[in-house]
Amino acid sequence: MPAQQKKVIFCIAGVFSLACALGTAAAIGTQLWVKGTILCKTGALLVNATGQELEKFIGEIQYGLFYGERVRQCGLGGRPFQFSFFPDLLKIIPASIHVSVILFCVVLVIFALVGTGFFTYNAFGSPYETLHGPVGLYLWTFVACSCGCLIVILFSSEVKIHHLSEKIANFKEGSFTFKTHSEQFANSFWIILACSLVHFLNALLIRLAGFEFPFSKGKDSGTTTGAVDLMY
């Protein structure tokens, strides 16, 4: 492939990687990871609410990785309550999974920025060998893509398998019991998923530029290396 086309491809990949780094960094600090509604089960059972009457007992909840807000509805109007994961909810949430999600988000931002730097260097400079050349591009892209996939998997399991929304909704609730009425992932979660797909696309762009995968080396290379070793 001509050098000019390679520069264009690396520039595009660098822009994609930078956008992922900025998008992930912005997503970490928001509370737009999960949105849903919660039903005040105790209040609804007390008055035997059905149909439209249930709307008076359905509140809202939204949260991210560090903080969130819920509005409890128990027939007397909405009462907002803001909460923080650290240290308020640390005892009731799967802390190891939650901290792992945050750490992988940080790693994703770092490697996306590193990938951006090396994509730019390969576009406008003479790439070094090993970690600065094709192998390095694949490495940074693979790590970033893997981190994005792990974030999606771990956070999904935290929300769906460990019922994170219900645990938050019932936090510091003595006599009332809340149940998840509806739940969906919000913008920040989908940004992370999109970043994973973009990093996978970057790997395809590297291959399109003419770089073989690191593990697919020709036989001639080994033969040449062996001949050089014999000379010494």
Side-chain angles (χ1 to χ4, degrees), residues 1-17 115-125 127 132-134 137-138 202 205-211:
M1 180 177 289
Q4 191 66 28
Q5 293 183 17
K6 287 185 178 181
K7 289 183 178 181
V8 173
I9 290 175
F10 286 141
C11 286
I12 294 174
V15 170
F16 284 168
S17 187
T116 301
F118 283 111
F119 277 123
T120 304
Y121 189 83
N122 276 268
F124 298 103
H132 292 265
L137 294 179
Y138 281 119
N202 278 351
L205 289 177
I206 299 171
R207 181 65 187 87
L208 182 64
F211 288 157

PDB file of all heavy atoms in Angstrom, residues 1-17 115-125 127 132-134 137-138 202 205-211:
ATOM      1  N   MET A   1       0.852  -1.198   0.000  1.00  0.00           N
ATOM      2  CA  MET A   1       0.000   0.000   0.000  1.00  0.00           C
ATOM      3  C   MET A   1       0.884   1.244   0.000  1.00  0.00           C
ATOM      4  O   MET A   1       1.885   1.296   0.718  1.00  0.00           O
ATOM      5  CB  MET A   1      -0.902   0.000   1.243  1.00  0.00           C
ATOM      6  CG  MET A   1      -1.820   1.218   1.327  1.00  0.00           C
ATOM      7  SD  MET A   1      -2.924   1.161   2.746  1.00  0.00           S
ATOM      8  CE  MET A   1      -4.027  -0.135   2.221  1.00  0.00           C
ATOM      9  N   PRO A   2       0.538   2.273  -0.806  1.00  0.00           N
ATOM     10  CA  PRO A   2       1.332   3.499  -0.824  1.00  0.00           C
ATOM     11  C   PRO A   2       1.415   4.150   0.555  1.00  0.00           C
ATOM     12  O   PRO A   2       0.517   4.012   1.380  1.00  0.00           O
ATOM     13  CB  PRO A   2       0.555   4.398  -1.807  1.00  0.00           C
ATOM     14  CG  PRO A   2      -0.214   3.442  -2.663  1.00  0.00           C
ATOM     15  CD  PRO A   2      -0.543   2.288  -1.791  1.00  0.00           C
ATOM     16  N   ALA A   3       2.533   4.851   0.783  1.00  0.00           N
ATOM     17  CA  ALA A   3       2.777   5.464   2.086  1.00  0.00           C
ATOM     18  C   ALA A   3       1.710   6.495   2.436  1.00  0.00           C
ATOM     19  O   ALA A   3       1.327   6.647   3.603  1.00  0.00           O
ATOM     20  CB  ALA A   3       4.157   6.114   2.099  1.00  0.00           C
ATOM     21  N   GLN A   4       1.221   7.227   1.427  1.00  0.00           N
ATOM     22  CA  GLN A   4       0.216   8.254   1.698  1.00  0.00           C
ATOM     23  C   GLN A   4      -1.072   7.644   2.232  1.00  0.00           C
ATOM     24  O   GLN A   4      -1.698   8.174   3.156  1.00  0.00           O
ATOM     25  CB  GLN A   4      -0.070   9.041   0.408  1.00  0.00           C
ATOM     26  CG  GLN A   4      -0.908  10.295   0.617  1.00  0.00           C
ATOM     27  CD  GLN A   4      -0.174  11.345   1.444  1.00  0.00           C
ATOM     28  OE1 GLN A   4       1.052  11.406   1.437  1.00  0.00           O
ATOM     29  NE2 GLN A   4      -0.929  12.152   2.169  1.00  0.00           N
ATOM     30  N   GLN A   5      -1.475   6.498   1.662  1.00  0.00           N
ATOM     31  CA  GLN A   5      -2.690   5.835   2.142  1.00  0.00           C
ATOM     32  C   GLN A   5      -2.496   5.300   3.560  1.00  0.00           C
ATOM     33  O   GLN A   5      -3.418   5.327   4.373  1.00  0.00           O
ATOM     34  CB  GLN A   5      -3.059   4.703   1.190  1.00  0.00           C
ATOM     35  CG  GLN A   5      -3.488   5.184  -0.197  1.00  0.00           C
ATOM     36  CD  GLN A   5      -3.925   4.034  -1.082  1.00  0.00           C
ATOM     37  OE1 GLN A   5      -4.217   2.936  -0.617  1.00  0.00           O
ATOM     38  NE2 GLN A   5      -3.969   4.292  -2.389  1.00  0.00           N
ATOM     39  N   LYS A   6      -1.304   4.810   3.866  1.00  0.00           N
ATOM     40  CA  LYS A   6      -1.027   4.346   5.227  1.00  0.00           C
ATOM     41  C   LYS A   6      -1.144   5.494   6.225  1.00  0.00           C
ATOM     42  O   LYS A   6      -1.681   5.325   7.323  1.00  0.00           O
ATOM     43  CB  LYS A   6       0.373   3.732   5.298  1.00  0.00           C
ATOM     44  CG  LYS A   6       0.491   2.379   4.638  1.00  0.00           C
ATOM     45  CD  LYS A   6       1.870   1.791   4.870  1.00  0.00           C
ATOM     46  CE  LYS A   6       1.984   0.406   4.253  1.00  0.00           C
ATOM     47  NZ  LYS A   6       3.303  -0.206   4.489  1.00  0.00           N
ATOM     48  N   LYS A   7      -0.641   6.661   5.846  1.00  0.00           N
ATOM     49  CA  LYS A   7      -0.744   7.815   6.738  1.00  0.00           C
ATOM     50  C   LYS A   7      -2.195   8.161   7.019  1.00  0.00           C
ATOM     51  O   LYS A   7      -2.576   8.461   8.159  1.00  0.00           O
ATOM     52  CB  LYS A   7      -0.022   9.014   6.129  1.00  0.00           C
ATOM     53  CG  LYS A   7       1.489   8.903   6.122  1.00  0.00           C
ATOM     54  CD  LYS A   7       2.127  10.170   5.579  1.00  0.00           C
ATOM     55  CE  LYS A   7       3.642  10.065   5.623  1.00  0.00           C
ATOM     56  NZ  LYS A   7       4.289  11.303   5.123  1.00  0.00           N
ATOM     57  N   VAL A   8      -3.024   8.116   5.969  1.00  0.00           N
ATOM     58  CA  VAL A   8      -4.444   8.427   6.148  1.00  0.00           C
ATOM     59  C   VAL A   8      -5.103   7.422   7.081  1.00  0.00           C
ATOM     60  O   VAL A   8      -5.868   7.779   7.991  1.00  0.00           O
ATOM     61  CB  VAL A   8      -5.170   8.453   4.783  1.00  0.00           C
ATOM     62  CG1 VAL A   8      -6.669   8.606   4.987  1.00  0.00           C
ATOM     63  CG2 VAL A   8      -4.628   9.584   3.908  1.00  0.00           C
ATOM     64  N   ILE A   9      -4.786   6.134   6.880  1.00  0.00           N
ATOM     65  CA  ILE A   9      -5.372   5.089   7.723  1.00  0.00           C
ATOM     66  C   ILE A   9      -4.942   5.258   9.169  1.00  0.00           C
ATOM     67  O   ILE A   9      -5.758   5.155  10.104  1.00  0.00           O
ATOM     68  CB  ILE A   9      -4.975   3.692   7.197  1.00  0.00           C
ATOM     69  CG1 ILE A   9      -5.683   3.421   5.867  1.00  0.00           C
ATOM     70  CG2 ILE A   9      -5.325   2.605   8.208  1.00  0.00           C
ATOM     71  CD1 ILE A   9      -5.271   2.117   5.217  1.00  0.00           C
ATOM     72  N   PHE A  10      -3.661   5.537   9.422  1.00  0.00           N
ATOM     73  CA  PHE A  10      -3.174   5.710  10.781  1.00  0.00           C
ATOM     74  C   PHE A  10      -3.762   6.962  11.424  1.00  0.00           C
ATOM     75  O   PHE A  10      -4.022   6.982  12.629  1.00  0.00           O
ATOM     76  CB  PHE A  10      -1.648   5.781  10.797  1.00  0.00           C
ATOM     77  CG  PHE A  10      -0.983   4.459  10.579  1.00  0.00           C
ATOM     78  CD1 PHE A  10       0.157   4.355   9.801  1.00  0.00           C
ATOM     79  CD2 PHE A  10      -1.496   3.309  11.156  1.00  0.00           C
ATOM     80  CE1 PHE A  10       0.772   3.136   9.600  1.00  0.00           C
ATOM     81  CE2 PHE A  10      -0.893   2.073  10.956  1.00  0.00           C
ATOM     82  CZ  PHE A  10       0.243   1.987  10.181  1.00  0.00           C
ATOM     83  N   CYS A  11      -3.962   8.009  10.623  1.00  0.00           N
ATOM     84  CA  CYS A  11      -4.599   9.222  11.154  1.00  0.00           C
ATOM     85  C   CYS A  11      -6.036   8.933  11.589  1.00  0.00           C
ATOM     86  O   CYS A  11      -6.480   9.376  12.654  1.00  0.00           O
ATOM     87  CB  CYS A  11      -4.572  10.334  10.115  1.00  0.00           C
ATOM     88  SG  CYS A  11      -2.955  11.090   9.858  1.00  0.00           S
ATOM     89  N   ILE A  12      -6.762   8.194  10.769  1.00  0.00           N
ATOM     90  CA  ILE A  12      -8.141   7.830  11.116  1.00  0.00           C
ATOM     91  C   ILE A  12      -8.170   6.987  12.388  1.00  0.00           C
ATOM     92  O   ILE A  12      -8.969   7.229  13.299  1.00  0.00           O
ATOM     93  CB  ILE A  12      -8.800   7.061   9.950  1.00  0.00           C
ATOM     94  CG1 ILE A  12      -8.963   7.984   8.735  1.00  0.00           C
ATOM     95  CG2 ILE A  12     -10.155   6.496  10.369  1.00  0.00           C
ATOM     96  CD1 ILE A  12      -9.459   7.274   7.485  1.00  0.00           C
ATOM     97  N   ALA A  13      -7.270   5.990  12.461  1.00  0.00           N
ATOM     98  CA  ALA A  13      -7.207   5.140  13.650  1.00  0.00           C
ATOM     99  C   ALA A  13      -6.831   5.950  14.882  1.00  0.00           C
ATOM    100  O   ALA A  13      -7.365   5.724  15.979  1.00  0.00           O
ATOM    101  CB  ALA A  13      -6.208   4.009  13.431  1.00  0.00           C
ATOM    102  N   GLY A  14      -5.932   6.911  14.727  1.00  0.00           N
ATOM    103  CA  GLY A  14      -5.549   7.758  15.848  1.00  0.00           C
ATOM    104  C   GLY A  14      -6.694   8.621  16.343  1.00  0.00           C
ATOM    105  O   GLY A  14      -6.885   8.794  17.552  1.00  0.00           O
ATOM    106  N   VAL A  15      -7.476   9.158  15.403  1.00  0.00           N
ATOM    107  CA  VAL A  15      -8.640   9.962  15.790  1.00  0.00           C
ATOM    108  C   VAL A  15      -9.663   9.101  16.522  1.00  0.00           C
ATOM    109  O   VAL A  15     -10.238   9.519  17.538  1.00  0.00           O
ATOM    110  CB  VAL A  15      -9.265  10.616  14.530  1.00  0.00           C
ATOM    111  CG1 VAL A  15     -10.611  11.256  14.876  1.00  0.00           C
ATOM    112  CG2 VAL A  15      -8.328  11.655  13.945  1.00  0.00           C
ATOM    113  N   PHE A  16      -9.892   7.889  16.020  1.00  0.00           N
ATOM    114  CA  PHE A  16     -10.814   6.964  16.680  1.00  0.00           C
ATOM    115  C   PHE A  16     -10.353   6.654  18.105  1.00  0.00           C
ATOM    116  O   PHE A  16     -11.147   6.652  19.046  1.00  0.00           O
ATOM    117  CB  PHE A  16     -10.925   5.661  15.884  1.00  0.00           C
ATOM    118  CG  PHE A  16     -11.762   5.772  14.640  1.00  0.00           C
ATOM    119  CD1 PHE A  16     -11.760   4.766  13.687  1.00  0.00           C
ATOM    120  CD2 PHE A  16     -12.554   6.878  14.421  1.00  0.00           C
ATOM    121  CE1 PHE A  16     -12.528   4.854  12.549  1.00  0.00           C
ATOM    122  CE2 PHE A  16     -13.329   6.994  13.273  1.00  0.00           C
ATOM    123  CZ  PHE A  16     -13.314   5.979  12.336  1.00  0.00           C
ATOM    124  N   SER A  17      -9.060   6.379  18.249  1.00  0.00           N
ATOM    125  CA  SER A  17      -8.524   6.041  19.560  1.00  0.00           C
ATOM    126  C   SER A  17      -8.619   7.212  20.525  1.00  0.00           C
ATOM    127  O   SER A  17      -8.964   7.035  21.709  1.00  0.00           O
ATOM    128  CB  SER A  17      -7.067   5.592  19.419  1.00  0.00           C
ATOM    129  OG  SER A  17      -6.559   5.116  20.632  1.00  0.00           O
ATOM    130  N   GLY A 115      -2.218   4.414  22.391  1.00  0.00           N
ATOM    131  CA  GLY A 115      -2.467   4.022  21.008  1.00  0.00           C
ATOM    132  C   GLY A 115      -2.570   5.213  20.084  1.00  0.00           C
ATOM    133  O   GLY A 115      -2.062   5.182  18.956  1.00  0.00           O
ATOM    134  N   THR A 116      -3.189   6.280  20.571  1.00  0.00           N
ATOM    135  CA  THR A 116      -3.291   7.494  19.761  1.00  0.00           C
ATOM    136  C   THR A 116      -1.915   8.048  19.433  1.00  0.00           C
ATOM    137  O   THR A 116      -1.633   8.437  18.290  1.00  0.00           O
ATOM    138  CB  THR A 116      -4.103   8.568  20.520  1.00  0.00           C
ATOM    139  OG1 THR A 116      -5.407   8.065  20.806  1.00  0.00           O
ATOM    140  CG2 THR A 116      -4.216   9.835  19.691  1.00  0.00           C
ATOM    141  N   GLY A 117      -1.034   8.054  20.446  1.00  0.00           N
ATOM    142  CA  GLY A 117       0.318   8.552  20.217  1.00  0.00           C
ATOM    143  C   GLY A 117       1.081   7.737  19.196  1.00  0.00           C
ATOM    144  O   GLY A 117       1.731   8.289  18.306  1.00  0.00           O
ATOM    145  N   PHE A 118       0.973   6.422  19.272  1.00  0.00           N
ATOM    146  CA  PHE A 118       1.721   5.575  18.356  1.00  0.00           C
ATOM    147  C   PHE A 118       1.104   5.551  16.958  1.00  0.00           C
ATOM    148  O   PHE A 118       1.826   5.407  15.967  1.00  0.00           O
ATOM    149  CB  PHE A 118       1.839   4.167  18.918  1.00  0.00           C
ATOM    150  CG  PHE A 118       2.870   4.058  20.009  1.00  0.00           C
ATOM    151  CD1 PHE A 118       2.497   3.821  21.317  1.00  0.00           C
ATOM    152  CD2 PHE A 118       4.213   4.219  19.722  1.00  0.00           C
ATOM    153  CE1 PHE A 118       3.442   3.731  22.318  1.00  0.00           C
ATOM    154  CE2 PHE A 118       5.173   4.129  20.718  1.00  0.00           C
ATOM    155  CZ  PHE A 118       4.776   3.891  22.028  1.00  0.00           C
ATOM    156  N   PHE A 119      -0.217   5.686  16.879  1.00  0.00           N
ATOM    157  CA  PHE A 119      -0.826   5.817  15.552  1.00  0.00           C
ATOM    158  C   PHE A 119      -0.338   7.091  14.869  1.00  0.00           C
ATOM    159  O   PHE A 119      -0.021   7.094  13.680  1.00  0.00           O
ATOM    160  CB  PHE A 119      -2.350   5.833  15.669  1.00  0.00           C
ATOM    161  CG  PHE A 119      -2.976   4.473  15.747  1.00  0.00           C
ATOM    162  CD1 PHE A 119      -3.779   4.130  16.820  1.00  0.00           C
ATOM    163  CD2 PHE A 119      -2.771   3.534  14.757  1.00  0.00           C
ATOM    164  CE1 PHE A 119      -4.354   2.874  16.908  1.00  0.00           C
ATOM    165  CE2 PHE A 119      -3.336   2.277  14.826  1.00  0.00           C
ATOM    166  CZ  PHE A 119      -4.132   1.943  15.915  1.00  0.00           C
ATOM    167  N   THR A 120      -0.267   8.172  15.648  1.00  0.00           N
ATOM    168  CA  THR A 120       0.200   9.439  15.102  1.00  0.00           C
ATOM    169  C   THR A 120       1.660   9.350  14.688  1.00  0.00           C
ATOM    170  O   THR A 120       2.066   9.856  13.628  1.00  0.00           O
ATOM    171  CB  THR A 120       0.018  10.563  16.138  1.00  0.00           C
ATOM    172  OG1 THR A 120      -1.351  10.611  16.545  1.00  0.00           O
ATOM    173  CG2 THR A 120       0.404  11.907  15.552  1.00  0.00           C
ATOM    174  N   TYR A 121       2.468   8.694  15.524  1.00  0.00           N
ATOM    175  CA  TYR A 121       3.895   8.552  15.216  1.00  0.00           C
ATOM    176  C   TYR A 121       4.102   7.729  13.959  1.00  0.00           C
ATOM    177  O   TYR A 121       4.965   8.041  13.125  1.00  0.00           O
ATOM    178  CB  TYR A 121       4.616   7.916  16.392  1.00  0.00           C
ATOM    179  CG  TYR A 121       6.117   7.927  16.233  1.00  0.00           C
ATOM    180  CD1 TYR A 121       6.849   9.056  16.582  1.00  0.00           C
ATOM    181  CD2 TYR A 121       6.779   6.830  15.710  1.00  0.00           C
ATOM    182  CE1 TYR A 121       8.224   9.082  16.416  1.00  0.00           C
ATOM    183  CE2 TYR A 121       8.156   6.847  15.542  1.00  0.00           C
ATOM    184  CZ  TYR A 121       8.878   7.980  15.892  1.00  0.00           C
ATOM    185  OH  TYR A 121      10.227   8.003  15.721  1.00  0.00           O
ATOM    186  N   ASN A 122       3.310   6.654  13.810  1.00  0.00           N
ATOM    187  CA  ASN A 122       3.449   5.823  12.612  1.00  0.00           C
ATOM    188  C   ASN A 122       2.941   6.538  11.364  1.00  0.00           C
ATOM    189  O   ASN A 122       3.330   6.195  10.249  1.00  0.00           O
ATOM    190  CB  ASN A 122       2.684   4.507  12.795  1.00  0.00           C
ATOM    191  CG  ASN A 122       3.484   3.471  13.538  1.00  0.00           C
ATOM    192  OD1 ASN A 122       4.187   2.660  12.952  1.00  0.00           O
ATOM    193  ND2 ASN A 122       3.395   3.517  14.864  1.00  0.00           N
ATOM    194  N   ALA A 123       2.059   7.521  11.554  1.00  0.00           N
ATOM    195  CA  ALA A 123       1.531   8.264  10.411  1.00  0.00           C
ATOM    196  C   ALA A 123       2.512   9.316   9.917  1.00  0.00           C
ATOM    197  O   ALA A 123       2.660   9.519   8.706  1.00  0.00           O
ATOM    198  CB  ALA A 123       0.201   8.916  10.782  1.00  0.00           C
ATOM    199  N   PHE A 124       3.202   9.984  10.851  1.00  0.00           N
ATOM    200  CA  PHE A 124       4.032  11.119  10.459  1.00  0.00           C
ATOM    201  C   PHE A 124       5.527  10.902  10.705  1.00  0.00           C
ATOM    202  O   PHE A 124       6.329  11.769  10.405  1.00  0.00           O
ATOM    203  CB  PHE A 124       3.588  12.379  11.219  1.00  0.00           C
ATOM    204  CG  PHE A 124       2.179  12.780  10.919  1.00  0.00           C
ATOM    205  CD1 PHE A 124       1.152  12.508  11.830  1.00  0.00           C
ATOM    206  CD2 PHE A 124       1.853  13.392   9.725  1.00  0.00           C
ATOM    207  CE1 PHE A 124      -0.154  12.873  11.555  1.00  0.00           C
ATOM    208  CE2 PHE A 124       0.547  13.759   9.444  1.00  0.00           C
ATOM    209  CZ  PHE A 124      -0.459  13.490  10.364  1.00  0.00           C
ATOM    210  N   GLY A 125       5.890   9.773  11.299  1.00  0.00           N
ATOM    211  CA  GLY A 125       7.300   9.513  11.545  1.00  0.00           C
ATOM    212  C   GLY A 125       7.710   8.164  10.999  1.00  0.00           C
ATOM    213  O   GLY A 125       6.943   7.471  10.335  1.00  0.00           O
ATOM    214  N   PRO A 127       8.397   4.565  11.965  1.00  0.00           N
ATOM    215  CA  PRO A 127       8.126   3.718  13.134  1.00  0.00           C
ATOM    216  C   PRO A 127       9.323   2.883  13.533  1.00  0.00           C
ATOM    217  O   PRO A 127      10.072   2.396  12.703  1.00  0.00           O
ATOM    218  CB  PRO A 127       6.975   2.815  12.643  1.00  0.00           C
ATOM    219  CG  PRO A 127       7.109   2.808  11.159  1.00  0.00           C
ATOM    220  CD  PRO A 127       7.629   4.162  10.792  1.00  0.00           C
ATOM    221  N   HIS A 132       7.149  -0.190  19.042  1.00  0.00           N
ATOM    222  CA  HIS A 132       6.806   1.047  18.356  1.00  0.00           C
ATOM    223  C   HIS A 132       6.272   0.803  16.952  1.00  0.00           C
ATOM    224  O   HIS A 132       5.784   1.718  16.317  1.00  0.00           O
ATOM    225  CB  HIS A 132       8.028   1.975  18.276  1.00  0.00           C
ATOM    226  CG  HIS A 132       8.450   2.497  19.596  1.00  0.00           C
ATOM    227  ND1 HIS A 132       8.039   3.709  20.083  1.00  0.00           N
ATOM    228  CD2 HIS A 132       9.239   1.955  20.553  1.00  0.00           C
ATOM    229  CE1 HIS A 132       8.570   3.907  21.268  1.00  0.00           C
ATOM    230  NE2 HIS A 132       9.300   2.856  21.581  1.00  0.00           N
ATOM    231  N   GLY A 133       6.391  -0.404  16.466  1.00  0.00           N
ATOM    232  CA  GLY A 133       5.954  -0.705  15.113  1.00  0.00           C
ATOM    233  C   GLY A 133       4.637  -1.437  15.102  1.00  0.00           C
ATOM    234  O   GLY A 133       3.792  -1.255  15.972  1.00  0.00           O
ATOM    235  N   PRO A 134       4.418  -2.307  14.124  1.00  0.00           N
ATOM    236  CA  PRO A 134       3.154  -3.031  13.990  1.00  0.00           C
ATOM    237  C   PRO A 134       2.760  -3.827  15.231  1.00  0.00           C
ATOM    238  O   PRO A 134       1.609  -3.841  15.624  1.00  0.00           O
ATOM    239  CB  PRO A 134       3.407  -3.953  12.799  1.00  0.00           C
ATOM    240  CG  PRO A 134       4.492  -3.283  12.024  1.00  0.00           C
ATOM    241  CD  PRO A 134       5.348  -2.595  13.024  1.00  0.00           C
ATOM    242  N   LEU A 137       1.298  -1.499  17.810  1.00  0.00           N
ATOM    243  CA  LEU A 137      -0.048  -1.049  17.451  1.00  0.00           C
ATOM    244  C   LEU A 137      -1.092  -2.109  17.774  1.00  0.00           C
ATOM    245  O   LEU A 137      -2.163  -1.819  18.314  1.00  0.00           O
ATOM    246  CB  LEU A 137      -0.096  -0.686  15.968  1.00  0.00           C
ATOM    247  CG  LEU A 137       0.744   0.516  15.529  1.00  0.00           C
ATOM    248  CD1 LEU A 137       0.605   0.731  14.036  1.00  0.00           C
ATOM    249  CD2 LEU A 137       0.319   1.766  16.278  1.00  0.00           C
ATOM    250  N   TYR A 138      -0.779  -3.344  17.426  1.00  0.00           N
ATOM    251  CA  TYR A 138      -1.696  -4.437  17.756  1.00  0.00           C
ATOM    252  C   TYR A 138      -1.832  -4.597  19.271  1.00  0.00           C
ATOM    253  O   TYR A 138      -2.922  -4.852  19.788  1.00  0.00           O
ATOM    254  CB  TYR A 138      -1.212  -5.744  17.137  1.00  0.00           C
ATOM    255  CG  TYR A 138      -1.513  -5.884  15.676  1.00  0.00           C
ATOM    256  CD1 TYR A 138      -0.484  -6.014  14.747  1.00  0.00           C
ATOM    257  CD2 TYR A 138      -2.819  -5.893  15.205  1.00  0.00           C
ATOM    258  CE1 TYR A 138      -0.749  -6.151  13.392  1.00  0.00           C
ATOM    259  CE2 TYR A 138      -3.096  -6.024  13.849  1.00  0.00           C
ATOM    260  CZ  TYR A 138      -2.058  -6.152  12.952  1.00  0.00           C
ATOM    261  OH  TYR A 138      -2.334  -6.278  11.611  1.00  0.00           O
ATOM    262  N   ASN A 202      -9.986  -0.584  14.724  1.00  0.00           N
ATOM    263  CA  ASN A 202      -8.610  -0.106  14.548  1.00  0.00           C
ATOM    264  C   ASN A 202      -7.662  -1.256  14.210  1.00  0.00           C
ATOM    265  O   ASN A 202      -6.730  -1.091  13.419  1.00  0.00           O
ATOM    266  CB  ASN A 202      -8.135   0.598  15.814  1.00  0.00           C
ATOM    267  CG  ASN A 202      -8.614   2.038  15.877  1.00  0.00           C
ATOM    268  OD1 ASN A 202      -9.160   2.561  14.903  1.00  0.00           O
ATOM    269  ND2 ASN A 202      -8.421   2.689  17.009  1.00  0.00           N
ATOM    270  N   LEU A 205      -7.984  -1.852  10.693  1.00  0.00           N
ATOM    271  CA  LEU A 205      -7.322  -0.795   9.918  1.00  0.00           C
ATOM    272  C   LEU A 205      -5.817  -1.031   9.857  1.00  0.00           C
ATOM    273  O   LEU A 205      -5.181  -0.766   8.823  1.00  0.00           O
ATOM    274  CB  LEU A 205      -7.624   0.574  10.540  1.00  0.00           C
ATOM    275  CG  LEU A 205      -9.052   1.094  10.383  1.00  0.00           C
ATOM    276  CD1 LEU A 205      -9.221   2.424  11.110  1.00  0.00           C
ATOM    277  CD2 LEU A 205      -9.409   1.260   8.909  1.00  0.00           C
ATOM    278  N   ILE A 206      -5.236  -1.511  10.965  1.00  0.00           N
ATOM    279  CA  ILE A 206      -3.805  -1.826  10.956  1.00  0.00           C
ATOM    280  C   ILE A 206      -3.516  -2.922   9.927  1.00  0.00           C
ATOM    281  O   ILE A 206      -2.545  -2.859   9.173  1.00  0.00           O
ATOM    282  CB  ILE A 206      -3.344  -2.274  12.353  1.00  0.00           C
ATOM    283  CG1 ILE A 206      -3.565  -1.155  13.376  1.00  0.00           C
ATOM    284  CG2 ILE A 206      -1.866  -2.661  12.332  1.00  0.00           C
ATOM    285  CD1 ILE A 206      -3.344  -1.597  14.809  1.00  0.00           C
ATOM    286  N   ARG A 207      -4.388  -3.918   9.913  1.00  0.00           N
ATOM    287  CA  ARG A 207      -4.220  -5.007   8.937  1.00  0.00           C
ATOM    288  C   ARG A 207      -4.412  -4.482   7.517  1.00  0.00           C
ATOM    289  O   ARG A 207      -3.702  -4.900   6.594  1.00  0.00           O
ATOM    290  CB  ARG A 207      -5.230  -6.116   9.239  1.00  0.00           C
ATOM    291  CG  ARG A 207      -5.128  -7.317   8.297  1.00  0.00           C
ATOM    292  CD  ARG A 207      -3.793  -8.013   8.470  1.00  0.00           C
ATOM    293  NE  ARG A 207      -3.612  -9.062   7.471  1.00  0.00           N
ATOM    294  CZ  ARG A 207      -3.106  -8.882   6.269  1.00  0.00           C
ATOM    295  NH1 ARG A 207      -2.724  -7.663   5.901  1.00  0.00           N
ATOM    296  NH2 ARG A 207      -2.964  -9.888   5.431  1.00  0.00           N
ATOM    297  N   LEU A 208      -5.343  -3.533   7.352  1.00  0.00           N
ATOM    298  CA  LEU A 208      -5.587  -2.953   6.033  1.00  0.00           C
ATOM    299  C   LEU A 208      -4.377  -2.171   5.543  1.00  0.00           C
ATOM    300  O   LEU A 208      -4.116  -2.100   4.334  1.00  0.00           O
ATOM    301  CB  LEU A 208      -6.828  -2.048   6.088  1.00  0.00           C
ATOM    302  CG  LEU A 208      -7.264  -1.397   4.774  1.00  0.00           C
ATOM    303  CD1 LEU A 208      -7.686  -2.463   3.769  1.00  0.00           C
ATOM    304  CD2 LEU A 208      -8.420  -0.419   5.025  1.00  0.00           C
ATOM    305  N   ALA A 209      -3.631  -1.611   6.481  1.00  0.00           N
ATOM    306  CA  ALA A 209      -2.434  -0.851   6.106  1.00  0.00           C
ATOM    307  C   ALA A 209      -1.317  -1.750   5.617  1.00  0.00           C
ATOM    308  O   ALA A 209      -0.297  -1.263   5.122  1.00  0.00           O
ATOM    309  CB  ALA A 209      -1.955  -0.025   7.297  1.00  0.00           C
ATOM    310  N   GLY A 210      -1.481  -3.056   5.758  1.00  0.00           N
ATOM    311  CA  GLY A 210      -0.489  -3.989   5.236  1.00  0.00           C
ATOM    312  C   GLY A 210       0.346  -4.664   6.282  1.00  0.00           C
ATOM    313  O   GLY A 210       1.265  -5.422   5.952  1.00  0.00           O
ATOM    314  N   PHE A 211       0.041  -4.420   7.577  1.00  0.00           N
ATOM    315  CA  PHE A 211       0.814  -5.034   8.645  1.00  0.00           C
ATOM    316  C   PHE A 211       0.223  -6.387   8.987  1.00  0.00           C
ATOM    317  O   PHE A 211      -0.962  -6.502   9.308  1.00  0.00           O
ATOM    318  CB  PHE A 211       0.818  -4.148   9.903  1.00  0.00           C
ATOM    319  CG  PHE A 211       1.660  -2.915   9.750  1.00  0.00           C
ATOM    320  CD1 PHE A 211       1.413  -1.808  10.543  1.00  0.00           C
ATOM    321  CD2 PHE A 211       2.688  -2.857   8.836  1.00  0.00           C
ATOM    322  CE1 PHE A 211       2.192  -0.673  10.423  1.00  0.00           C
ATOM    323  CE2 PHE A 211       3.477  -1.727   8.706  1.00  0.00           C
ATOM    324  CZ  PHE A 211       3.215  -0.630   9.501  1.00  0.00           C
TER     325      PHE A 211
END
